[in-house]
Amino acid sequence: MAGPFRFGDFELDVAAFTLRREGTPVRLERIPMEVLVLLVEHAGTLVARDSIHAALWGSDVFVDRDAAINTAMRKIRKALGDDADRPRFVETVVGKGYRFVAPTVRDAMDAERQVANYRLTRGTHAFALQNGENLIGRDPDVHVFLDHPSVSRRHARISITAGRVTLEDLNSRNGTCVDGRGITSPTELHDGTIIGVGPMTLTFVSLSGVASTRPMSGSVGPPDAGRP
C-alpha cells in the first residue's frame, strides 16, 4: 500500500485524513478533504463531476451537486493557495470535471506504519478504518459519515482489536445488516462482507488478508458533467 501523498510543500495523509504544509496542519473541512483525496488518488486522470458526486454521496442521495462541488473546490484551492486560472494543483476541465496536475510522491515507509489494514467502500469512495472504534452515521463527527436522512446520527460501530473486526448496531432507527441479515449483537466482519446501514450499502475490505478471505463483492460508481 502507498503511504502519504507529497506534492509541492504539502503532505496528504489519507489514512489520518490530514493535510499538512511543511509539517503544519492545514484546516480543510470534511467534504473538501474527501474531494481532494479523490483527486490526488487519481492524479493525472480526469475525475468527472458525476463521479465526485457518486463517491461522496451516492446516487441515492439528492443534494445541490453543482453548488456542493463548486464550494468544495473553492475551499481546496484556498487551502492549497491555488489559482483556477493558472493551476499548480487542480485543473478544471470545463464541462467535465477536474484533474490533479501536480507531481505526487508516495512515502512507502510511512505506508507500512500508518495505512489502515481495513476499509469500507461505497462506489469509488473508501473510508480507512482505524484500530479501536469507528463510528458510522450521519453525525459530522463520526469516522464514517453517511449523509442520508434514513441513517441515524450514530448508527453503528466497527471495532478493530487484535486482527478481529466486529460490527454493532447502536439502536439505530432503520437497523444495520450484514450480508442482507439484520444484526442484534456484535457480528464479525470478513473481507467482502456487505454492510447495510439503513438504505445505504458498504463493502468491508481487508487490505492485509488478516480477516478471512471470501470473494469480494461490492459496488462501483458512475462518470461525467459541469464546473467552477
Side-chain angles (χ1 to χ4, degrees), residues 137-151:
R138 196 162 45 87
D139 188 317
D141 292 331
V142 302
H143 192 75
V144 179
F145 176 76
L146 301 176
D147 190 10
H148 192 286
S150 296
V151 174

Side-chain angles (χ1 to χ4, degrees), residues 69-84:
I69 294 175
N70 291 350
T71 298
M73 293 308 305
R74 281 195 296 272
K75 291 180 177 179
I76 288 170
R77 288 196 167 106
K78 182 177 180 181
L80 298 179
D82 207 12
D83 184 336

